[in-house]
Amino acid sequence: MEIADLVREAKQGSAAAQKLLFDLLADRMFMVCRRYVKIRENAEEILLDGFYKLFKGLNNFHYEGDGAFYAWSKKIMVNECLMFLRKKNAFTLITESAAEEIPLNEEVLDQLSASEIFSLIVQLPVGYRTVFNLYVIEGMNHREVASLLNISEGTSKSQLSKARSLLQKMLLQNGTDYARRKTR
């Protein structure tokens, strides 16, 4: 069944269509939640809250294609993650006026799998991880990140720089470990 048909039927209250949409999106949206929230159980809770809001707001959604539906669903999940983090007062953002870009060693990245990189991102402190996800993964600019998190653009840049620096250190460590495993 096409996504357009599932959305139309779910809008009409079809539990079967909602279940199919949930099954179609759950894994992908869970990974979105996990990028923001370290603890699996919290990510699962956020996922369910996000789906509740998705189905509740479905009547206001105008289907314009599968991509638009995925983007709308992802936006709901990201917002749910940010609300969760705010409720838990999980953000500890350090204000700093200047941020420098730190280049990553591409050879290290080539040696790691996507799941290994994902596990490193999840290990970042909450503030770093959140800004990194919004800027790098979601494609927002610093003005948008700052507005969404109620911080200055300088703080957003600083948090991103620190996230990249810490990720680079972790990547270098993992890359070294990976190289050792390969030669054994």
Side-chain angles (χ1 to χ4, degrees):
M1 185 175 263
E2 298 285 324
I3 293 176
D5 296 329
L6 290 174
V7 169
R8 183 180 36 75
E9 289 181 25
K11 281 183 176 186
Q12 296 169 353
S14 167
Q18 288 179 353
K19 169 82 168 92
L20 287 171
L21 282 173
F22 178 88
D23 291 344
L24 181 69
L25 295 172
D27 289 342
R28 183 184 293 185
M29 295 303 133
F30 180 69
M31 293 308 291
V32 169
C33 294
R34 285 283 288 143
R35 277 200 330 259
Y36 288 89
V37 180
K38 198 173 195 174
I39 300 171
R40 181 179 188 84
E41 291 78 15
N42 290 340
E44 289 171 352
E45 179 183 331
I46 292 166
L47 178 74
L48 294 176
D49 290 345
F51 270 106
Y52 173 78
K53 287 201 175 158
L54 183 145
F55 291 129
K56 188 176 175 186
L58 204 52
N59 285 327
N60 297 324
F61 175 73
H62 178 69
Y63 182 85
E64 295 178 6
D66 293 358
F69 180 69
Y70 285 120
W72 180 69
S73 302
K74 183 178 177 184
K75 184 176 182 178
I76 290 171
M77 296 301 164
V78 168
N79 286 334
E80 284 298 303
C81 290
L82 296 177
M83 286 188 341
F84 173 84
L85 293 171
R86 282 187 199 106
K87 280 184 205 171
K88 298 288 185 188
N89 290 322
F91 291 113
T92 314
L93 299 174
I94 302 164
T95 305
E96 205 172 280
S97 59
E100 59 187 62
E101 298 294 319
I102 300 171
L104 290 175
N105 181 342
E106 297 296 328
E107 292 173 14
V108 173
L109 285 175
D110 292 340
Q111 296 174 355
L112 298 173
S113 70
S115 63
E116 288 172 313
I117 294 170
F118 172 80
S119 70
L120 295 175
I121 291 171
V122 172
Q123 291 177 40
L124 289 171
V126 176
Y128 295 2
R129 181 174 64 241
T130 303
V131 171
F132 181 86
N133 279 321
L134 292 172
Y135 185 87
V136 175
I137 309 293
E138 308 302 338
M140 294 181 178
N141 62 40
H142 286 296
R143 179 176 294 149
E144 293 168 323
V145 172
S147 174
L148 191 59
L149 299 179
N150 198 25
I151 59 176
S152 72
E153 284 184 54
T155 300
S156 176
K157 291 175 183 178
S158 173
Q159 295 294 296
L160 178 62
S161 177
K162 291 175 183 182
R164 284 181 170 163
S165 178
L166 186 54
L167 266 178
Q168 184 176 25
K169 289 175 187 169
M170 291 188 301
L171 283 169
L172 289 171
Q173 178 61 45
N174 257 27
T176 303
D177 292 346
Y178 180 82
R180 280 190 210 132
R181 284 188 305 226
K182 244 181 138 175
T183 59
R184 289 183 186 169

